[in-house]
Amino acid sequence: MEETVSCPPEAFLALVMDPRRYAEVDRKLGRVDWVHRDGEVAEFRFRSVLPGLGPGPKIVSRMTLTPGERVDVRLPDRPENRLVRRFSTFEASFACVPVSGGVRVTRRIAFGFPAPLRWLAEPILRRKLPADVEAEIRGAKRLLER
């Protein structure tokens, strides 16, 4: 998903690096229990809600900021993520490129599932996830442009 937002890259990336505030526009983020930030790395615990699949267990996500350019999101090797990491893979990113009048944001999310779950989860996410991501990025755009 790509969208142009009328703000500098730093403003968009600062929104992403604030999980509690970003949860206002991202329905995939359930209630955020805690956030720990150390410079350009933030970890936070939340209950994910995948479109069409419903709520999952509480997990910890790690975001790494490349200032002015991008945020990469992964599930770190932590006890809270043991179950999810056993049955899926997850990677996401927000890349920002300055353009006339703002920034072009490219949002990427990738899930992987082992064969027993793939037949169920992947078709649902292929149908439901694009609209959810579009609503997320448009919500971030509205939030930052008001």
Side-chain angles (χ1 to χ4, degrees), residues 22-90:
Y22 200 77
E24 295 174 26
V25 299
D26 187 353
R27 294 179 297 210
K28 293 176 294 305
L29 295 179
R31 189 175 74 96
V32 176
D33 294 331
W34 52 257
V35 178
H36 299 295
R37 183 152 181 192
D38 184 12
E40 295 166 357
V41 176
E43 288 190 353
F44 63 104
R45 186 173 75 181
F46 69 106
R47 183 177 307 279
S48 66
V49 181
L50 292 179
L53 297 176
K58 288 188 177 189
I59 58 173
V60 174
S61 188
R62 178 179 296 146
M63 299 185 292
T64 305
L65 171 68
T66 302
E69 296 179 18
R70 63 185 298 119
V71 170
D72 292 291
V73 187
R74 304 241 186 299
L75 297 179
D77 189 15
R78 292 180 55 113
E80 299 97 322
N81 294 340
R82 188 177 7 222
L83 180 65
V84 171
R85 287 173 57 93
R86 182 173 180 195
F87 293 106
S88 66
T89 60
F90 168 78

